[in-house]
Amino acid sequence: MKKVLIMAGSDTSGGAGIQADLKTMEELGVYGMTALTTMVAQNPESNWAHDVYPIEIDTVKAQLRTILDGIGVDLMKTGMIPTTESIQLAAETIDKYNLEAVVDPVLACKGVDEPVHPENAIALRKILVPKAVITTPNLFEASQLTEMPLLRTVDEMKEAAKKIHDLGAKNVVIKGGSDIDENKAVDVFYDGSELTVLEGEVIQSAYTHGAGCTFASAIAGSYVNGKSPREAVEFAKEFVFNAIKGAEKLNEYVGSVKQYANRK
Ligand code: PXL
């Protein structure tokens, strides 16, 4: 059984964050352990606004100690890390334990196109993304990491993937979703030698909360189980497609993807 350290935030509504990570890894037969960095609570009285409650750094360190000194892991996966201090801690942890890390450079929850904390974009760019074995930015995060305007074309995605690789990330997949072409789900993958455009079917669903976390965790889970980075990305694309296909509405604001829709 492969073991993964998930260093990420809790999505109280259950759809994204460590909840999505653990559900995804369970489907892949991977044992996930969590170092919680922050809690996100959504406010039903204010249009489901996302309020972020960072966890004290010593508490994060205590969780990392349990997982790394107490048990040990085969891979690390990062999600929402709310402060530059905790981003620094993630990077130091990778070095100290000589870990491979799948880095999902979460900067804001879905639908936000301004960084809530611009200093976090800089810290991810300078400190954490350079250490990734695979990193999975969406269009907004890729533009923040590269200091490019919001990406709008496949050519811009390719340029950004090369720039993010130049930062140090060994493999980069930029998630275009349906924002590049409304008829196709377009992602760009770059491993330092070959640029690949991955196209999939688009599902029109208003309830896709948690798709990004699920995608990165499916990459992490299949990579730690032995697939190459490129195979892991292709696997994850299909996994998240099925999860979105099975998505369900939870309330008037949000729904959730369904990882177990992948069960045979
Ligand atoms: O989807 C990004 C995301 C990541 N992590 C946590 C979240 C969200 C969005 O809601 O709450 C904890």
Side-chain angles (χ1 to χ4, degrees):
M1 176 179 71
K2 297 292 185 187
K3 302 184 288 295
V4 176
L5 156 61
I6 301 160
M7 184 173 175
S10 166
D11 172 8
T12 304
S13 72
I18 57 158
Q19 288 82 353
D21 296 333
L22 284 172
K23 289 174 204 174
T24 303
M25 292 194 194
E26 186 72 10
E27 294 302 320
L28 303 187
V30 169
Y31 188 75
M33 291 174 273
T34 55
L36 198 60
T37 57
T38 187
M39 285 183 273
V40 176
Q42 293 90 355
N43 188 343
E45 274 145 31
S46 167
N47 286 322
W48 212 240
H50 287 50
D51 297 323
V52 178
Y53 300 90
I55 286 169
E56 224 257 305
I57 197 83
D58 284 341
T59 312
V60 183
K61 286 182 184 165
Q63 298 172 77
L64 290 171
R65 192 170 56 223
T66 306
I67 296 164
L68 292 162
D69 296 337
I71 296 176
V73 301
D74 302 291
L75 183 73
M76 176 167 171
K77 186 259 166 189
T78 68
M80 184 183 282
I81 311 191
T83 60
T84 55
E85 194 182 23
S86 50
I87 292 170
Q88 179 72 42
L89 177 61
E92 283 167 13
T93 301
I94 292 170
D95 285 346
K96 180 171 172 199
Y97 295 90
N98 198 17
L99 298 172
E100 282 196 311
V102 173
V103 173
D104 187 10
V106 176
L107 275 173
C109 294
K110 194 178 164 185
V112 176
D113 56 9
E114 289 277 312
V116 186
H117 295 288
E119 69 278 15
N120 287 356
I122 299 168
L124 285 172
R125 181 192 312 140
K126 293 198 168 154
I127 306 172
L128 188 55
V129 167
K131 297 191 188 295
V133 64
I134 307 171
T135 189
T136 62
N138 60 24
L139 295 176
F140 166 66
E141 290 153 356
S143 69
Q144 290 291 314
L145 292 174
T146 55
E147 300 176 274
M148 290 168 69
L150 187 61
L151 312 180
R152 295 190 189 280
T153 64
V154 172
D155 281 344
E156 286 168 3
M157 289 170 78
K158 288 180 178 172
E159 184 186 340
K162 285 188 170 165
K163 286 191 173 167
I164 296 169
H165 183 270
D166 285 346
L167 295 175
K170 290 199 181 68
N171 297 274
V172 181
V173 54
I174 302 185
K175 304 173 283 192
S178 58
D179 289 342
I180 294 289
D181 180 334
E182 61 185 29
N183 300 310
K184 285 182 282 194
V186 181
D187 301 325
V188 166
F189 175 76
Y190 186 55
D191 60 7
S193 58
E194 204 183 336
L195 272 164
T196 312
V197 179
L198 302 164
E199 292 182 357
E201 206 183 310
V202 168
I203 311 167
Q204 293 306 343
S205 164
Y207 312 122
T208 57
H209 187 61
C213 304
T214 298
F215 181 68
S217 276
I219 292 174
S222 53
Y223 176 69
V224 79
N225 276 338
K227 288 195 195 298
S228 70
R230 159 93 187 256
E231 289 166 346
V233 167
E234 284 173 352
F235 170 86
K237 202 164 157 75
E238 193 183 329
F239 187 96
V240 85
F241 174 82
N242 291 330
I244 293 171
K245 210 158 65 177
E248 287 192 38
K249 183 175 178 175
L250 294 170
N251 67 14
E252 62 185 297
Y253 305 103
V254 75
S256 178
V257 301
K258 189 185 280 176
Q259 289 81 7
Y260 64 81
N262 281 280
R263 285 183 200 170
K264 298 265 167 9

